Amino acid sequence: MRLHRLSITAFGPFGATQEVDFDALSSAGLFLLHGPTGAGKTSVLDAVCFALYGAVPGARQSPGASLRSDHAPVDLPTEVQLELTVGGRRLEVTRSPAQPRPKKRGDGFTMEKAQSRLRGYDPERGWHALSKSHQEIGEELTQLIGMSRDQFCQVVLLPQGDFARFLRSDAEARGKLLGRLFDTRRFAAVEERLAELRRGAEARVTAADERILALAQRIAQAAGPAGAEATPVAARPGEPGLAEAVLEWAAIARSTARERLDIAHRVVAWAEGRQREARHALDAVRELARLQQRYEETRLRSAALEERRPEHDRCQEELERARKADRVAPALELREEAERAYRAASDGLGRARALLSPELRDVGADRLAELERKFQQELYALDAAREAEERSARIDEERVRLNREAQADDELIREADVWLADWDSTRAALKGRIDASQEAATRAEQLAGLLAPARRCLDAAGRRDALATDVQQAEERLTGAREQELDARKSWLDLRERRLRGIAAELAAGLVAGEPCTVCGSADHPVPASPGDGHVDRATEERALAAQQSAEEARARAEQQLGLVRERHAAAETEARGDDASASSTVAELGELVDRLTGEHAEAHRLAAATNPAREALTAAEREHTERLEQRQQAHGRMSARTAAREALDAEQVRLEEQIAAARGESPSVAAHAERLTRRVARLADAAEAVRTEQDAAQRRKEADDRLSDAAFRAGFDTPEAAAATLLDAAAQRDLQHRIDTWQAEAAAVADRRAERDAREAAEQPAAQPSAAQGEFETAEWLLREASSALAAADERCGELTRLSRQAADEVRRLGPVRQEYDRIARLAGLAAGTSADNERKMRLEAYVLAARLEQVAAAATARLQRMSSGRYTLVHSDARAGGRRAGLGLHVVDAWTGSERDTATLSGGETFFASLALALGLADVVTEEAGGVRLDTLFIDEGFGSLDDQTLDEVLDVLDSLRERDRSVGIVSHVADLRRRIPVRLEVVKERQGSSVRHRLA
């Protein structure tokens, strides 16, 4: 990544627009960014970070801080523009923070939203827009740079103070910085994932034991009272031999259930024989009753069918006539369609003839067509006359335009004469406005220095008063929480005492006949204790205890909240006093002071803001003076040219009027005459077409009449009207056919049933009595159901015991691999978390990865540290634990002069600087490689050179100068005066009353 150009407008200490040419500064490889304290050296780096990431470095991104310059005019927006090359692409990013701007209408300010723009450069297309979305631009730049904002600020801007603290810090602080730069959250996630897997495996083992116990309980329920002896359901999950005991007991229960099943089978066989005999007798009686009833129904249906025979004959005759009339229907439809067409044509002909003159209303189609052609030819002859008429109208418009221009020039000359007469007084007034605005600017600067502290005191006083109310409310909440805690504790102790008094009844509720008592061990329970009035069970006591603990936690939270509010109130009280620690002003007093200073500052700022407008107004007035002199001279010239143009237009119009008068005849204009001819031609054409259409329709109607008469005769009807009267629609014919088919089907069915011999024979026998046979059958059926129910219960018990036993065996087999998986996962989780005995240094996985990164950083930093220290010092990584803290993040320095290894915290001030600089450059190399090898062609080093002697400073500068071998440029940010002599290429930040500015020193 290489920076080319930076433009800063109304940003930080820079009140106006400042340009930084990084291409010119980077040509020498090493350049100096210097200036007095507070001038804005670091603000240049903040602008680079803001352009790339939309925010300044985290240490300077304080809440409520504004990036807008206090020196900037109100109408100059804050903006940062950076041109750079990254990932082989030339880009230009422009960002503006959220900022107030003057309202377009009325007084006051409105908040302008933050804006971002990204452009790309292409040799063929030049600069072209890419995006205006904050999110899209942020994702695009982050992907191209390959680093987050924290990594960029740590790697490209190289804050030396941070690395000096890094050298002296403990393992925890180093771990936080390295974790933020190398993003080792995925390894911490692996640790957490292994812990989750361990908890899951442990839960699965416990669940498997509980499932085996649940199956034992279900086997006891399926076996019934006689098979529930010696059940192991009282065992606990994880108890040795639990699975084997459950399987052995299940086998005994299955054997008992099979014996009961054999007895049930024999009882069912006897009941089935008796039920079959009763079923055969009942079926015979029912069949005789059915045949007798069927014969009676057939006799009644035959009589009803003969009654409907006349209606059947009438429907059949009506259907046959309707089907003959269907052959005439197409001719009838054709005749009706021809009649409708003839009436429509006659109506159209009447309307067309009504538009003609009386003498043409009875003329034939040929004569009408002849007249149409005649008037059409006359219409074609009017084209030239119409063009002449249009030109005459344009001449009138041009004459009006010339008169309007002449009037405008006369007005321009009069206005210029009046304005030029007051020129001397106008120029003197504008110069007076400039002098007054400059005096107001000085006053505004003085008031700005008083206004900011007053506003801070006012804000703090407001917070102080608000927090005083919060303190009172927090004290009241704490008092209430303490009272609730005492009440809950008293209630819990009372319930606990009452439960202990009735604990015997609670133990007696769990006694089971034949099982030993958990207190005395006896299997006999002659007189169990019973609960008395007001007995408290265990659940009630536990709920009271939970309520007491909840009240205790609420009281602790209230105490903590009260402490926090009191601290904030004290801090606001201190800030509200300002410089005078002994005085405490009210919000009203501070508000009056701020309002007075704000009003005076706003008035002075308003007058000061008029400096540039006044200067611009004077420049504009001088420019207008010159323009008005030129406009007056040009107006006189145009007046002479218009006189000649008027004479030419008058001559042309006389000639055109003669041509128009000859062509328009009696009409007011040629266009009106042409329009009249056009209407006449259209009416003649419509009338001729209507005559032809009416004749064709009459011929088609006659042909349709002939076809209809012929079709009616062939179908057997005397007249077409008779055929039309006989027509029936499809629905009516279907209804007739359905009625005919229904009668015939009924007749066939009755004939079939009258031929049945078994029904006639059954009718000759005595009436059947099925009720007695039904009673015998129901008794046999009830006996069979009872026996079958007993058999089904025995069979279901055997099947359920077999299925549950199989499930229990499957659960026992599955439990083995689950226990093995739990042992393996628990070992891995302990190893990653540093709690396993196999992890000798008790090092977590994340710390192990960070230690590897620190080892790479130390190796990369040593290459430069040895050169800076003339081969004396070497940075090495240490795995040893220090002070009980985590291992793996130790950093030592080896002194080649003594051969000893010591902690980096023992380095002197100058040694700490070049060691931290070497560490920063090494870290930049490692982070760059971690980010995918993104090339960093521009680096900045911030402060720290003042602690070096001349020889060490030369060696450090040689190391920095060697970075140019890879075509890098390095910017040193420092106010050390000796660096100006050693580094000829410089960017100087100058602090001025109107805001800081930058100057390039390239030689």
Side-chain angles (χ1 to χ4, degrees):
M1 180 188 71
R2 177 176 293 277
L3 307 182
H4 299 292
R5 181 184 60 82
L6 176 67
S7 175
I8 309 173
T9 302
F11 181 87
F14 302 104
T17 299
Q18 304 295 324
E19 297 282 345
V20 179
D21 189 351
F22 284 114
D23 286 337
L25 295 172
S26 301
S27 59
L30 191 65
F31 63 92
L32 177 65
L33 176 59
H34 70 96
T37 301
K41 300 186 296 297
T42 305
S43 296
V44 175
L45 307 185
D46 290 347
V48 173
C49 185
F50 177 72
L52 294 176
Y53 294 95
V56 298
R60 295 184 287 278
Q61 186 73 37
S62 59
S66 175
L67 301 179
R68 179 169 176 77
S69 175
D70 294 333
H71 302 283
V74 293
D75 56 349
L76 182 63
T78 299
E79 182 180 88
V80 174
Q81 186 178 85
L82 177 64
E83 184 179 337
L84 72 159
T85 297
V86 59
R89 297 172 59 187
R90 185 78 170 243
L91 301 175
E92 179 190 82
V93 57
T94 305
R95 292 189 189 268
S96 300
Q99 56 188 306
R101 64 165 177 80
K103 294 182 177 178
K104 296 180 179 179
R105 296 181 181 178
D107 299 331
F109 294 83
T110 184
M111 184 58 66
E112 185 81 14
K113 294 182 179 179
Q115 299 180 2
S116 300
R117 298 187 301 276
L118 182 65
R119 298 199 304 166
Y121 180 78
D122 188 283
E124 297 179 357
R125 300 167 55 191
W127 288 103
H128 55 281
L130 295 178
S131 177
K132 291 186 179 181
S133 168
H134 296 293
Q135 183 177 0
E136 290 181 358
I137 295 174
E139 293 176 354
E140 180 76 10
L141 291 177
T142 302
Q143 184 177 5
L144 289 174
I145 297 173
M147 289 181 284
S148 64
R149 186 188 66 178
D150 291 339
Q151 290 176 320
F152 179 84
C153 296
Q154 201 76 29
V155 173
V156 178
L157 304 185
L158 297 184
Q160 292 304 300
D162 289 353
F163 286 97
R165 288 191 296 273
F166 183 82
L167 286 172
R168 296 188 175 95
S169 62
D170 56 15
E172 293 293 335
R174 286 174 184 159
K176 291 180 180 178
L177 176 60
L178 293 174
R180 188 172 67 249
L181 291 178
F182 292 105
D183 192 12
T184 57
R185 290 174 295 179
R186 59 186 183 277
F187 299 103
V190 170
E191 298 176 17
E192 180 62 27
R193 178 58 179 164
L194 287 174
E196 292 178 0
L197 292 176
R198 179 182 59 189
R199 291 191 293 271
E202 184 178 4
R204 287 193 294 273
V205 171
T206 303
D209 287 341
E210 291 177 350
R211 286 196 299 272
I212 292 175
L213 284 176
L215 286 172
Q217 294 174 351
R218 292 172 62 186
I219 290 172
Q221 294 174 356
E229 300 176 359
T231 175
V233 296
R236 294 184 299 274
E239 184 174 321
L242 169 64
E244 291 75 7
V246 170
L247 294 179
E248 182 179 355
W249 173 80
I252 297 173
R254 288 199 308 274
S255 177
T256 303
R258 289 194 190 97
E259 294 176 358
R260 294 182 179 180
L261 180 61
D262 293 339
I263 297 173
H265 273 297
R266 290 193 293 271
V267 174
V268 168
W270 171 82
E272 286 177 347
R274 181 172 177 178
Q275 188 264 355
R276 281 194 299 271
E277 295 175 356
R279 164 65 70 181
H280 291 159
L282 178 62
D283 290 343
V285 174
R286 285 179 175 175
E287 179 63 17
L288 178 61
R290 184 187 68 80
L291 292 173
Q292 291 174 349
Q293 182 180 2
R294 182 176 179 83
Y295 182 81
E296 182 63 21
E297 291 175 355
T298 301
R299 187 183 63 79
L300 295 175
R301 287 173 62 183
S302 177
L305 185 64
E306 288 301 322
E307 292 178 359
R308 297 202 309 271
R309 182 180 293 276
E311 181 184 0
H312 164 261
D313 296 339
R314 180 186 57 79
C315 291
Q316 191 166 10
E317 181 181 357
E318 185 177 352
L319 179 60
E320 291 176 356
R321 289 181 57 82
R323 287 175 176 172
K324 290 181 180 180
D326 286 344
R327 296 198 291 270
V328 187
L332 285 169
E333 294 177 357
L334 183 62
R335 173 62 174 79
E336 292 175 358
E337 181 180 354
E339 181 65 27
R340 287 194 298 271
Y342 176 75
R343 286 197 297 270
S346 297
D347 294 342
L349 178 59
R351 289 192 297 271
R353 289 187 182 278
L355 298 176
L356 299 176
S357 58
E359 65 273 11
L360 297 177
R361 290 178 181 174
D362 297 329
V363 175
D366 296 339
R367 177 56 179 165
L368 293 173
E370 181 182 353
L371 291 174
E372 176 192 355
R373 290 191 296 272
K374 175 185 175 182
F375 289 124
Q376 185 68 48
Q377 292 174 358
E378 185 178 349
L379 183 62
Y380 292 154
L382 292 178
D383 289 343
R386 279 188 290 190
E387 293 178 358
E389 190 174 49
E390 293 174 357
R391 174 57 185 161
S392 177
R394 288 197 298 272
I395 289 175
D396 292 337
E397 294 175 357
E398 291 180 9
R399 186 180 288 109
V400 172
R401 179 180 58 79
L402 291 174
N403 293 336
R404 186 168 57 250
E405 291 177 354
Q407 184 180 0
D409 284 342
D410 291 341
E411 184 67 23
L412 187 148
I413 292 172
R414 287 194 298 273
E415 289 181 359
D417 292 340
V418 173
W419 192 89
L420 292 172
D422 296 335
W423 165 240
D424 293 335
S425 59
T426 301
R427 182 169 55 184
L430 291 174
K431 289 184 177 180
R433 285 174 54 193
I434 295 173
D435 295 339
S437 299
Q438 291 176 344
E439 294 176 359
T442 303
R443 174 61 178 163
E445 291 183 3
Q446 297 173 352
L447 291 173
L450 300 174
L451 182 58
R455 284 176 174 169
R456 288 194 294 270
C457 291
L458 175 60
D459 294 340
R463 294 196 305 274
R464 175 199 62 196
D465 295 348
L467 288 170
T469 304
D470 294 344
V471 169
Q472 182 179 0
Q473 294 176 351
E475 291 174 347
E476 294 174 356
R477 286 194 297 271
L478 177 59
T479 302
R482 285 172 174 169
E483 293 176 355
Q484 292 179 1
E485 180 189 7
L486 292 174
D487 293 342
R489 184 172 184 83
K490 179 180 179 182
S491 175
W492 169 62
L493 292 175
D494 179 59
L495 292 173
R496 180 178 178 84
E497 182 178 357
R498 288 164 58 191
R499 178 173 178 247
L500 291 175
R501 289 197 300 267
I503 195 67
E506 184 174 339
L507 293 174
L511 295 176
V512 178
E515 294 186 2
C517 176
T518 58
V519 178
C520 65
S522 174
D524 297 328
H525 317 298
V527 187
S530 59
D533 295 337
H535 174 68
V536 177
D537 56 9
R538 181 176 183 180
T540 304
E541 180 192 355
E542 290 178 350
R543 286 195 298 270
L545 176 61
Q548 186 269 335
Q549 292 174 348
S550 177
E552 184 178 358
E553 294 174 357
R555 187 262 306 160
R557 288 195 299 270
E559 290 178 348
Q560 183 180 8
Q561 185 66 26
L562 177 60
L564 293 174
V565 174
R566 283 176 174 171
E567 291 178 2
R568 294 172 184 169
H569 180 266
E573 176 70 26
T574 303
E575 186 176 358
R577 291 193 179 98
D579 297 335
D580 189 0
S582 61
S584 178
S585 301
T586 64
V587 173
E589 295 171 348
L590 291 173
E592 292 176 359
L593 175 61
V594 169
D595 292 341
R596 179 175 59 80
L597 292 176
T598 301
E600 295 177 359
H601 178 266
E603 179 64 21
H605 195 277
R606 184 184 63 80
L607 295 175
T611 303
N612 289 335
R615 289 175 179 170
E616 294 174 356
L618 178 58
T619 302
E622 293 174 346
R623 185 167 55 252
E624 185 177 0
H625 176 262
T626 303
E627 292 175 353
R628 287 186 179 271
L629 290 175
E630 294 177 356
Q631 291 172 357
R632 185 174 61 177
Q633 182 178 359
Q634 293 172 359
H636 285 294
R638 288 193 297 271
M639 293 177 66
S640 300
R642 275 192 295 271
T643 302
R646 284 195 185 95
E647 294 176 355
L649 291 175
D650 292 340
E652 184 181 2
Q653 191 168 33
V654 170
R655 178 177 57 80
L656 293 174
E657 287 294 338
E658 295 174 354
Q659 182 180 358
I660 294 169
R664 71 188 178 189
E666 298 178 357
S667 299
S669 64
V670 175
H673 186 57
E675 183 180 357
R676 184 169 63 84
L677 289 177
T678 301
R679 289 196 301 271
R680 182 175 295 178
V681 169
R683 290 172 182 174
L684 289 171
D686 293 342
E689 180 63 25
V691 171
R692 288 190 290 269
T693 302
E694 192 268 345
Q695 293 173 351
D696 293 341
Q699 179 63 29
R700 287 195 297 273
R701 184 180 64 174
K702 182 179 180 303
E703 294 174 355
D705 286 337
D706 296 339
R707 292 194 187 96
L708 177 59
S709 299
D710 184 63
F713 177 76
R714 287 198 302 269
F717 293 97
D718 297 334
T719 62
E721 290 76 12
T726 312
L727 279 174
L728 291 177
D729 57 15
Q733 292 187 22
R734 285 196 300 272
D735 180 62
L736 290 174
Q737 185 65 53
H738 176 69
R739 291 159 68 181
I740 293 170
D741 293 343
T742 301
W743 190 91
Q744 292 176 350
E746 179 67 10
V750 168
D752 291 342
R753 292 184 63 170
R754 289 177 68 88
E756 295 176 353
R757 187 177 65 181
D758 54 353
R760 290 197 307 271
E761 294 175 352
E764 297 173 356
Q765 297 180 16
Q769 301 293 330
S771 57
Q774 180 68 32
E776 180 65 23
F777 173 74
E778 289 177 355
T779 301
E781 188 76 14
W782 177 81
L783 292 174
L784 178 60
R785 282 198 302 271
E786 292 296 322
S788 299
S789 176
L791 175 62
D795 186 63
E796 181 180 1
R797 183 178 295 109
C798 287
E800 182 69 8
L801 289 172
T802 301
R803 185 179 62 82
L804 293 175
S805 299
R806 189 181 304 112
Q807 290 183 6
D810 294 340
E811 290 292 340
V812 171
R813 285 194 299 272
R814 285 195 291 266
L815 179 59
V818 171
R819 287 190 182 277
Q820 295 176 359
E821 181 185 6
Y822 168 71
D823 295 339
R824 183 176 66 257
I825 292 176
R827 181 173 175 274
L828 285 175
L831 190 64
T835 59
S836 173
D838 297 334
N839 193 333
E840 297 179 357
R841 297 187 179 276
K842 304 302 179 184
M843 186 186 300
R844 292 174 46 236
L845 177 61
E846 183 182 11
Y848 176 78
V849 175
L850 291 177
R853 292 290 187 266
L854 182 59
E855 189 173 5
Q856 293 176 338
V857 171
T862 296
R864 295 185 175 92
L865 178 60
Q866 288 182 338
R867 184 171 178 181
M868 294 181 189
S869 62
S870 300
R872 179 177 179 181
Y873 293 117
T874 300
L875 283 175
V876 295
H877 161 256
S878 174
D879 287 335
R881 296 172 63 89
R885 299 184 181 274
R886 63 182 180 181
L889 296 179
L891 195 62
H892 293 172
V893 62
V894 178
D895 190 344
W897 291 4
T898 63
S900 62
E901 179 178 333
R902 53 193 172 99
D903 193 271
T904 53
T906 62
L907 294 173
S908 64
E911 292 170 341
T912 299
F913 168 73
F914 60 71
S916 64
L917 176 58
L919 185 65
L921 295 174
L923 183 61
D925 291 340
V926 176
V927 173
T928 300
E929 182 179 357
E930 179 75 11
V934 177
R935 182 179 177 85
L936 301 177
D937 297 322
T938 306
L939 299 176
F940 295 92
I941 302 174
D942 193 358
E943 290 299 343
F945 290 87
S947 60
L948 304 180
D949 55 50
D950 291 344
Q951 180 180 356
T952 305
L953 181 60
D954 288 338
E955 293 174 347
V956 170
L957 292 179
D958 288 342
V959 171
L960 296 178
D961 192 57
S962 67
L963 296 176
R964 290 187 298 173
E965 297 174 0
R966 290 187 288 176
D967 196 22
R968 279 185 176 177
S969 61
V970 180
I972 297 177
V973 184
S974 178
H975 53 71
V976 176
D978 192 37
L979 288 175
R980 303 178 194 173
R981 176 180 57 82
R982 298 171 182 263
I983 303 176
V985 177
R986 303 190 298 273
L987 178 67
E988 181 180 4
V989 183
V990 182
K991 182 165 60 175
E992 299 173 343
R993 180 181 294 273
Q994 294 79 13
S996 299
S997 60
V998 298
R999 299 174 184 173
H1000 294 75
R1001 308 288 185 180
L1002 303 179

